[in-house]
Amino acid sequence: MTAPVFDVARIGPGEGSIDPRTRLRTDAPSQSLDGCWSFRLSPSPALAPHDEWTQGETEGWDEITVPAHWNMSGFGTPAYSNVQFPFPIDPPYPPDENPVGDYVRRIDVDAEIRQVMDAGGRALLRFDGIESAADVFVNGIRLGSTRGSRLTHEFDVTDRLTGAGDVIAVRVAQFSDGTYLENQDMWWLPGIFRSVTLLARPVGGIDDAVLTGDFDHETGHGAVAVTTTAGAVLEVPELGIRVDVAAGRSTVDAGAVEPWSAETPRLYDATLATASETVSVRLGFRRVRADDGVLTLNGRPIMLRGVNRHEHDPDRGRVHTTELARRDLVLMKQHNINAVRTSHYPPHPELLDLADELGLYVIDECDLETHEYEYVSWRGNPSDDPAWEASFVDRIRRTVTRDRTHPSVIMWSLGNESGAGCNIRAMARWVRENDATRLIHYEGDHSSRDTDVYSRMYASHDEVRRIGEESDEIAPAGIGAAELRRRSLPFVHCEFGHSMGNSPGGVKEYWELYERFPRLAGGFIWEWIEHAIAIEDEHGRRAFRYGGDFGESVHDHNFVIDGLISADRDVRPGLVDYAAIIAPLVITVEGDRRGIRLENRYDHVDTSHLAVTWRREVDGVVVAQGELDVPPIAPRQRGVVPLPAEARTVSASSVADVLTIVAALRDATSWAQRGHVVATGQRVDAGAPRLGAAAAPDQGEFDRRGRPLRLGSLDVVEGPGIGIWRAPTDNDLFPGWDEPTLPPMAERWALARIDRMQTRVRGIRPEATALVVDTRVGAPSFDSGVDALWRWSDVPEGRLLELDLRSIGSWDNAWIEKAPFAWTVDWARLGIDVTLAGAPVGMEFAGYGPGPSYPDTDSGVHFGWFEAGADELVTPHVRPQESGSRRGVRTAVIRTSEGAVRVSVVGGEALDAGVALTVSPWDRTTLSTTSHASLLPAPTATHVSIDIAQSGVGTATCGPGVLPRHRLPARDASFALLFETV
Ligand code: IPT
């Protein structure tokens, strides 16, 4: 028998599978069919052979591992596109070029499963994820098809299996009608990428059951809601519960319980048993509500400190491994994150087990996105076409049904970026009828008519403030009942803080708003992981690739590299910043060090699990320390704690006297060790360096343009000169959403030519105590620039530079004809650039660290005496760009393969704020013209920038640009530096 036509262009859900069931742990036997399958790839459904393959004829085929994507397994290459569709919008048709993968596996059914079947039981074949459409066969008989790549499908195979040598065959198309509903911003990765399992269903077993725990905060009592297909015994041993429950719905009073929350992820093991099957669930008792505009859990307001998480493994794509999933969630918890939106599809089921256990609130999102319709002004959007209703409802039904026992899931999300319409409404209706224990989320319809929260993405700070004040714009339809209802819902910022490259700036300012207005329930950073794909480059080294690197004709470059962690799970500076912004404890040292103010931002627990210690360092030496006696502060309350006398003292110092307060875990948790730091507060009193008398330096130590030949023990290769440009960050390359009609910063800089400034020496003047060098730095074609007066002298401590900088000319766009609007050329930075001999080896510095920061990403750094190795100087962004600045630096030793120099702030305005120091293996032109980190040349020199001011980084790739307060308009400056030999 030959396989029937493979229909991949038919509007509708898959067919032939059984009704979706809740995911439960069971003692019924199962058999994993993961592992090696026979595999054959055809270029399109029309060219897929109609031979005897479904009966196991696979001679000459290749092999593939399941689960995997075939284009990550040597069959084809991955492709990335975001909103734009890789083929014409011509629903329900996929393109002719539509790879088809045939999978075959011959199995002997495990004896345990056979026994169940022999006793009259049934067997199910379960697929947890196939992208994008499959036809399923057993022993040559077609059982049906799947739609919904990240959704589970089960087929009853009882009457099809013989027990020995059974042939399981699956034909998978990369694209299908389903693809029109799955245009998420991610790699196109086809294949059987989640597990395949054979499940035994014993006679008298529990075919389906839903167990959820409810918590009544007024009585402190819990209740277990049970819906089961078979009469069974419910047991919760810890609560002394052992009751018979009949088939159907029932509620069992659990008495006094400890509630579940992200902060107290208390789970109770529960079982439901019949004579032939026991299923087990980890119950959490909690109640989530939208209460008068406030999101609450167990009667208390909660704040979502969230991230959006895709499933991504740089070597495997969307194939889940327990190890990476746990690593992700543990890293989240360690960085104070308490919520995950599973953008934009249900995650691997194990992720929810981990979220229950570790304590994370989950917005579980349906596998739905029709974003491609934005390109055609949403014309013909399936979301509003009744022909697609069954497909939409099937998707949400599979999502909710699989995951409904998880206490961590507090909202169902209907999907992402799919516009509005009747099918979105039908999905919401289905959820309302089937699960009352969570709220409904959906961002794509701003009327919020079907949701329980008002959700938006990338709203500006100003709009978020207005939403908080309930003074936001009234919907075009006017202020009817629907609009009043929307305005009364809690607000969730489901995507904000676009973490692409050196980013996201402005998050702190969002957080201040969330904290200020009770209606604002927090937000989710876009996004958790960079989706770089790892390859081995021509030198045999591991290297990261992005859109366009695999020859795609339609792609979105590196827009998929926008995470708080790298694809290899290295923490990016944005995560450190976010962790501090959302820290559950805010520690403020009173100005005069009299005491500290503590703000407990936990929603459910007091502060007794934290040990609060203090430490005083003078010029890098710890002079006193101790633990503070902090009476427990209740959730969302504040307290003031006095400081002991030794902490209050401030000594004279040359660098700084620093008081640091640290709150750390008293005991280990499932996600961190004892002593893990949750929050830090500081008071820095800057010291005053003293220098001996100055004398004029030997002019022979300078070149003919008045530049020193050496600094410390290092030869100067180039400079020093004045720089106001940076290697554009991803954000610099995009117009901010707040200024959509203006050219992006990087373009303004290029138009104003500040990336290629020229220096003219106006005069060199030996004076009694200094060599004075007067320079003008200007942009070609323009009369704007920076005048710099350099005063070099020798002091007993080393070589002193006093620098005066004056902005000259105009920095508006009047001179650029093509500019239709008025804008200014804000600078990227203002400082000195100098190239020193030798590749960088590292640095030691006293300043804000240990990692990099910029004016709008400076929450996660604190003052200290730090070291950075060669590989910590800059951030290895996949697309090279500006990074690595250490701010507030007062003194630092820069080491290269040729020697070292110490640079210290000794005067001028830098005495208060310090300088921003960037030590990079690459110059800015190289950084800005190299497409991938792996293509950067081996470092030969050390590029040092010492900046008196810098611009923030903003989040213009998706959202507002740099906030005005963090910009750097043209300005003057004066400061003094000391260079010493070490
Ligand atoms: C928004 C998407 O929801 C998300 O999937 C991702 O694409 C993100 O942006 C950008 O990285 S959609 C955007 C056009 C607002």
Short mmCIF file of all heavy atoms in Angstrom, two decimals, residues 307 331-332 334-337 499 503-504 507 525 528 563-565 570-583 677-680 848-853 856-862 866 875:
data_model
loop_
_atom_site.label_atom_id
_atom_site.label_comp_id
_atom_site.label_asym_id
_atom_site.label_seq_id
_atom_site.Cartn_x
_atom_site.Cartn_y
_atom_site.Cartn_z
N VAL A 307 10.94 37.71 32.37
CA VAL A 307 11.66 37.62 31.09
C VAL A 307 10.84 36.78 30.12
O VAL A 307 10.08 35.91 30.54
CB VAL A 307 13.06 36.94 31.23
CG1 VAL A 307 14.04 37.85 31.94
CG2 VAL A 307 12.98 35.59 31.91
N LEU A 331 19.48 30.31 36.83
CA LEU A 331 20.09 31.63 36.56
C LEU A 331 19.06 32.75 36.76
O LEU A 331 19.38 33.81 37.27
CB LEU A 331 20.59 31.69 35.12
CG LEU A 331 22.07 31.44 34.85
CD1 LEU A 331 22.34 31.58 33.36
CD2 LEU A 331 22.95 32.41 35.63
N MET A 332 17.84 32.48 36.32
CA MET A 332 16.78 33.49 36.52
C MET A 332 16.60 33.77 38.01
O MET A 332 16.59 34.92 38.44
CB MET A 332 15.46 33.00 35.93
CG MET A 332 15.42 32.98 34.42
SD MET A 332 13.81 32.34 33.87
CE MET A 332 14.19 31.98 32.16
N GLN A 334 18.59 33.27 40.42
CA GLN A 334 19.76 33.92 41.00
C GLN A 334 19.81 35.40 40.65
O GLN A 334 20.51 36.17 41.30
CB GLN A 334 21.04 33.23 40.50
CG GLN A 334 21.22 31.84 41.08
CD GLN A 334 22.43 31.13 40.53
OE1 GLN A 334 23.02 31.56 39.54
NE2 GLN A 334 22.81 30.03 41.16
N HIS A 335 19.10 35.79 39.61
CA HIS A 335 19.08 37.20 39.21
C HIS A 335 17.73 37.85 39.53
O HIS A 335 17.33 38.80 38.85
CB HIS A 335 19.46 37.34 37.74
CG HIS A 335 20.92 37.03 37.51
ND1 HIS A 335 21.38 35.76 37.28
CD2 HIS A 335 22.01 37.83 37.53
CE1 HIS A 335 22.70 35.80 37.16
NE2 HIS A 335 23.10 37.03 37.30
N ASN A 336 17.08 37.35 40.55
CA ASN A 336 15.88 37.98 41.11
C ASN A 336 14.66 37.97 40.19
O ASN A 336 13.69 38.67 40.43
CB ASN A 336 16.18 39.42 41.56
CG ASN A 336 17.26 39.47 42.62
OD1 ASN A 336 17.36 38.57 43.44
ND2 ASN A 336 18.07 40.50 42.61
N ILE A 337 14.74 37.20 39.12
CA ILE A 337 13.61 37.10 38.19
C ILE A 337 12.57 36.16 38.79
O ILE A 337 12.93 35.12 39.36
CB ILE A 337 14.12 36.60 36.82
CG1 ILE A 337 14.93 37.72 36.16
CG2 ILE A 337 12.98 36.11 35.93
CD1 ILE A 337 15.81 37.27 35.03
N SER A 499 16.84 43.48 24.67
CA SER A 499 18.24 43.23 25.08
C SER A 499 19.17 42.88 23.93
O SER A 499 19.94 41.94 24.02
CB SER A 499 18.29 42.07 26.06
OG SER A 499 17.49 42.36 27.14
N SER A 503 22.80 46.57 25.77
CA SER A 503 21.41 46.95 26.01
C SER A 503 20.93 46.20 27.24
O SER A 503 21.67 45.32 27.70
CB SER A 503 20.59 46.49 24.78
OG SER A 503 19.34 47.09 24.70
N PRO A 504 19.75 46.40 27.74
CA PRO A 504 18.80 47.45 27.47
C PRO A 504 18.95 48.60 28.46
O PRO A 504 19.09 48.37 29.66
CB PRO A 504 17.46 46.74 27.71
CG PRO A 504 17.74 45.69 28.75
CD PRO A 504 19.21 45.35 28.62
N VAL A 507 15.69 50.63 31.71
CA VAL A 507 14.85 49.66 32.45
C VAL A 507 14.54 50.17 33.85
O VAL A 507 13.43 50.04 34.36
CB VAL A 507 15.55 48.28 32.48
CG1 VAL A 507 14.81 47.32 33.38
CG2 VAL A 507 15.66 47.72 31.07
N ILE A 525 11.26 41.29 30.21
CA ILE A 525 12.33 41.75 29.29
C ILE A 525 12.29 40.89 28.03
O ILE A 525 12.07 39.68 28.08
CB ILE A 525 13.71 41.58 29.98
CG1 ILE A 525 13.86 42.54 31.16
CG2 ILE A 525 14.86 41.75 28.98
CD1 ILE A 525 14.17 43.96 30.82
N TRP A 528 15.22 36.40 27.06
CA TRP A 528 16.17 35.73 27.95
C TRP A 528 17.45 35.30 27.23
O TRP A 528 18.54 35.64 27.64
CB TRP A 528 15.45 34.52 28.58
CG TRP A 528 16.31 33.67 29.44
CD1 TRP A 528 16.62 32.36 29.24
CD2 TRP A 528 16.97 34.06 30.64
NE1 TRP A 528 17.43 31.92 30.24
CE2 TRP A 528 17.67 32.94 31.12
CE3 TRP A 528 17.05 35.26 31.37
CZ2 TRP A 528 18.44 32.97 32.28
CZ3 TRP A 528 17.82 35.29 32.53
CH2 TRP A 528 18.49 34.16 32.98
N GLY A 563 19.39 38.74 23.82
CA GLY A 563 19.10 38.13 25.11
C GLY A 563 19.91 38.68 26.27
O GLY A 563 20.93 39.34 26.07
N LEU A 564 19.41 38.39 27.47
CA LEU A 564 20.15 38.74 28.69
C LEU A 564 21.29 37.77 28.94
O LEU A 564 22.17 38.04 29.76
CB LEU A 564 19.20 38.75 29.89
CG LEU A 564 18.13 39.83 29.91
CD1 LEU A 564 17.21 39.64 31.11
CD2 LEU A 564 18.75 41.22 29.94
N ILE A 565 21.23 36.61 28.28
CA ILE A 565 22.36 35.69 28.35
C ILE A 565 22.71 35.27 26.92
O ILE A 565 21.86 35.30 26.03
CB ILE A 565 22.06 34.43 29.21
CG1 ILE A 565 20.87 33.65 28.66
CG2 ILE A 565 21.83 34.81 30.66
CD1 ILE A 565 20.65 32.30 29.35
N ASP A 570 26.20 32.52 28.91
CA ASP A 570 27.05 33.48 29.62
C ASP A 570 26.20 34.70 29.95
O ASP A 570 25.44 35.17 29.11
CB ASP A 570 28.23 33.91 28.75
CG ASP A 570 29.20 32.76 28.52
OD1 ASP A 570 29.41 31.98 29.48
OD2 ASP A 570 29.71 32.63 27.40
N VAL A 571 26.36 35.19 31.17
CA VAL A 571 25.56 36.32 31.63
C VAL A 571 26.03 37.59 30.91
O VAL A 571 27.22 37.92 30.93
CB VAL A 571 25.70 36.47 33.15
CG1 VAL A 571 25.06 37.75 33.64
CG2 VAL A 571 25.09 35.25 33.85
N ARG A 572 25.11 38.30 30.26
CA ARG A 572 25.42 39.59 29.65
C ARG A 572 25.25 40.69 30.71
O ARG A 572 24.46 40.52 31.66
CB ARG A 572 24.49 39.86 28.47
CG ARG A 572 24.61 38.87 27.31
CD ARG A 572 25.94 38.99 26.62
NE ARG A 572 25.95 38.30 25.32
CZ ARG A 572 27.02 37.71 24.81
NH1 ARG A 572 28.16 37.69 25.49
NH2 ARG A 572 26.96 37.13 23.63
N PRO A 573 25.91 41.82 30.52
CA PRO A 573 25.78 42.89 31.54
C PRO A 573 24.33 43.30 31.78
O PRO A 573 23.97 43.69 32.89
CB PRO A 573 26.59 44.04 30.93
CG PRO A 573 27.60 43.37 30.03
CD PRO A 573 26.91 42.15 29.48
N GLY A 574 23.47 43.19 30.78
CA GLY A 574 22.06 43.57 30.95
C GLY A 574 21.37 42.77 32.04
O GLY A 574 20.47 43.27 32.71
N LEU A 575 21.78 41.53 32.22
CA LEU A 575 21.15 40.70 33.25
C LEU A 575 21.58 41.16 34.65
O LEU A 575 20.78 41.19 35.58
CB LEU A 575 21.49 39.22 33.03
CG LEU A 575 20.90 38.25 34.05
CD1 LEU A 575 19.38 38.37 34.14
CD2 LEU A 575 21.29 36.80 33.73
N VAL A 576 22.85 41.52 34.76
CA VAL A 576 23.35 42.01 36.05
C VAL A 576 22.61 43.29 36.43
O VAL A 576 22.21 43.49 37.58
CB VAL A 576 24.88 42.25 35.96
CG1 VAL A 576 25.41 42.82 37.26
CG2 VAL A 576 25.59 40.95 35.57
N ASP A 577 22.39 44.13 35.44
CA ASP A 577 21.68 45.39 35.66
C ASP A 577 20.24 45.11 36.09
O ASP A 577 19.74 45.67 37.07
CB ASP A 577 21.71 46.19 34.35
CG ASP A 577 21.24 47.61 34.52
OD1 ASP A 577 21.72 48.28 35.45
OD2 ASP A 577 20.38 48.06 33.74
N TYR A 578 19.58 44.21 35.34
CA TYR A 578 18.18 43.89 35.63
C TYR A 578 18.05 43.31 37.05
O TYR A 578 17.15 43.68 37.80
CB TYR A 578 17.67 42.90 34.59
CG TYR A 578 16.17 42.69 34.58
CD1 TYR A 578 15.29 43.76 34.68
CD2 TYR A 578 15.63 41.41 34.43
CE1 TYR A 578 13.91 43.57 34.65
CE2 TYR A 578 14.26 41.21 34.39
CZ TYR A 578 13.40 42.28 34.49
OH TYR A 578 12.04 42.08 34.46
N ALA A 579 18.96 42.41 37.40
CA ALA A 579 18.90 41.77 38.72
C ALA A 579 18.91 42.83 39.83
O ALA A 579 18.18 42.70 40.83
CB ALA A 579 20.08 40.82 38.91
N ALA A 580 19.70 43.88 39.64
CA ALA A 580 19.77 44.91 40.67
C ALA A 580 18.51 45.78 40.66
O ALA A 580 18.00 46.17 41.71
CB ALA A 580 21.01 45.76 40.45
N ILE A 581 18.01 46.06 39.47
CA ILE A 581 16.81 46.91 39.36
C ILE A 581 15.61 46.25 40.03
O ILE A 581 14.81 46.89 40.70
CB ILE A 581 16.52 47.21 37.88
CG1 ILE A 581 17.61 48.11 37.30
CG2 ILE A 581 15.14 47.85 37.70
CD1 ILE A 581 17.57 48.25 35.79
N ILE A 582 15.51 44.93 39.86
CA ILE A 582 14.33 44.22 40.39
C ILE A 582 14.61 43.56 41.74
O ILE A 582 13.79 42.79 42.23
CB ILE A 582 13.84 43.14 39.40
CG1 ILE A 582 14.92 42.08 39.15
CG2 ILE A 582 13.39 43.78 38.09
CD1 ILE A 582 14.49 40.96 38.22
N ALA A 583 15.75 43.89 42.34
CA ALA A 583 16.12 43.23 43.59
C ALA A 583 14.98 43.33 44.60
O ALA A 583 14.34 44.37 44.73
CB ALA A 583 17.38 43.86 44.16
N VAL A 677 24.24 36.70 47.10
CA VAL A 677 23.88 38.10 47.32
C VAL A 677 22.61 38.46 46.54
O VAL A 677 22.51 38.23 45.34
CB VAL A 677 25.03 39.04 46.90
CG1 VAL A 677 24.60 40.50 46.98
CG2 VAL A 677 26.24 38.78 47.79
N VAL A 678 21.64 39.01 47.27
CA VAL A 678 20.35 39.36 46.69
C VAL A 678 20.29 40.87 46.40
O VAL A 678 19.67 41.31 45.44
CB VAL A 678 19.23 38.92 47.65
CG1 VAL A 678 17.91 39.57 47.33
CG2 VAL A 678 19.09 37.39 47.63
N ALA A 679 20.93 41.65 47.24
CA ALA A 679 20.88 43.11 47.06
C ALA A 679 22.10 43.76 47.69
O ALA A 679 22.67 43.23 48.66
CB ALA A 679 19.61 43.68 47.67
N THR A 680 22.49 44.89 47.14
CA THR A 680 23.66 45.63 47.63
C THR A 680 23.29 47.12 47.73
O THR A 680 22.57 47.63 46.89
CB THR A 680 24.83 45.49 46.62
OG1 THR A 680 25.08 44.11 46.41
CG2 THR A 680 26.10 46.13 47.14
N TYR A 848 33.39 51.51 39.51
CA TYR A 848 32.15 50.72 39.53
C TYR A 848 32.32 49.49 38.64
O TYR A 848 32.75 49.60 37.50
CB TYR A 848 30.96 51.58 39.10
CG TYR A 848 30.58 52.54 40.20
CD1 TYR A 848 31.24 53.76 40.34
CD2 TYR A 848 29.61 52.19 41.13
CE1 TYR A 848 30.92 54.63 41.37
CE2 TYR A 848 29.29 53.05 42.17
CZ TYR A 848 29.95 54.26 42.29
OH TYR A 848 29.63 55.10 43.33
N GLY A 849 32.03 48.34 39.21
CA GLY A 849 32.22 47.09 38.50
C GLY A 849 31.45 46.00 39.22
O GLY A 849 30.50 46.29 39.93
N PRO A 850 31.85 44.76 39.09
CA PRO A 850 33.03 44.35 38.33
C PRO A 850 32.83 44.41 36.82
O PRO A 850 33.80 44.46 36.09
CB PRO A 850 33.24 42.89 38.78
CG PRO A 850 31.89 42.44 39.25
CD PRO A 850 31.20 43.66 39.79
N GLY A 851 31.60 44.45 36.34
CA GLY A 851 31.35 44.41 34.90
C GLY A 851 31.17 45.80 34.33
O GLY A 851 31.25 46.80 35.02
N PRO A 852 30.89 45.85 33.04
CA PRO A 852 30.71 47.13 32.36
C PRO A 852 29.38 47.79 32.70
O PRO A 852 28.43 47.12 33.12
CB PRO A 852 30.72 46.76 30.87
CG PRO A 852 30.98 45.31 30.79
CD PRO A 852 30.78 44.71 32.13
N SER A 853 29.32 49.09 32.48
CA SER A 853 28.05 49.81 32.62
C SER A 853 28.09 51.08 31.78
O SER A 853 29.17 51.55 31.41
CB SER A 853 27.76 50.15 34.08
OG SER A 853 28.76 50.98 34.61
N ASP A 856 22.76 54.52 31.52
CA ASP A 856 21.41 54.00 31.78
C ASP A 856 21.40 52.50 32.02
O ASP A 856 20.36 51.86 31.93
CB ASP A 856 20.46 54.38 30.62
CG ASP A 856 20.97 53.94 29.26
OD1 ASP A 856 22.10 53.42 29.18
OD2 ASP A 856 20.23 54.10 28.27
N THR A 857 22.57 51.94 32.32
CA THR A 857 22.62 50.51 32.69
C THR A 857 23.57 50.35 33.88
O THR A 857 24.41 49.46 33.89
CB THR A 857 23.11 49.63 31.52
OG1 THR A 857 24.40 50.11 31.08
CG2 THR A 857 22.16 49.65 30.35
N ASP A 858 23.42 51.26 34.85
CA ASP A 858 24.44 51.29 35.91
C ASP A 858 23.92 50.83 37.26
O ASP A 858 24.52 51.13 38.29
CB ASP A 858 25.03 52.71 36.01
CG ASP A 858 23.98 53.71 36.48
OD1 ASP A 858 22.78 53.36 36.51
OD2 ASP A 858 24.36 54.84 36.81
N SER A 859 22.82 50.08 37.28
CA SER A 859 22.28 49.67 38.58
C SER A 859 23.00 48.47 39.17
O SER A 859 23.04 48.30 40.38
CB SER A 859 20.79 49.32 38.42
OG SER A 859 20.08 50.44 37.97
N GLY A 860 23.54 47.62 38.33
CA GLY A 860 24.10 46.36 38.82
C GLY A 860 25.57 46.44 39.21
O GLY A 860 26.17 45.43 39.57
N VAL A 861 26.15 47.63 39.12
CA VAL A 861 27.57 47.75 39.46
C VAL A 861 27.71 48.44 40.81
O VAL A 861 26.82 49.16 41.24
CB VAL A 861 28.34 48.54 38.38
CG1 VAL A 861 28.45 47.72 37.11
CG2 VAL A 861 27.67 49.88 38.08
N HIS A 862 28.78 48.17 41.50
CA HIS A 862 29.04 48.86 42.74
C HIS A 862 30.53 49.19 42.81
O HIS A 862 31.34 48.62 42.08
CB HIS A 862 28.60 48.03 43.94
CG HIS A 862 29.21 46.66 43.98
ND1 HIS A 862 28.66 45.59 43.30
CD2 HIS A 862 30.33 46.21 44.58
CE1 HIS A 862 29.42 44.53 43.49
NE2 HIS A 862 30.45 44.87 44.25
N PHE A 866 38.71 46.00 41.69
CA PHE A 866 38.43 44.82 40.87
C PHE A 866 39.60 44.51 39.93
O PHE A 866 40.42 45.37 39.65
CB PHE A 866 37.20 45.06 39.99
CG PHE A 866 35.94 45.35 40.74
CD1 PHE A 866 35.42 46.64 40.77
CD2 PHE A 866 35.25 44.35 41.42
CE1 PHE A 866 34.24 46.91 41.45
CE2 PHE A 866 34.07 44.61 42.09
CZ PHE A 866 33.57 45.90 42.12
N THR A 875 32.64 42.90 26.18
CA THR A 875 31.61 41.86 26.11
C THR A 875 31.67 41.22 24.72
O THR A 875 31.64 41.95 23.72
CB THR A 875 30.22 42.49 26.34
OG1 THR A 875 30.28 43.24 27.56
CG2 THR A 875 29.14 41.42 26.45
#
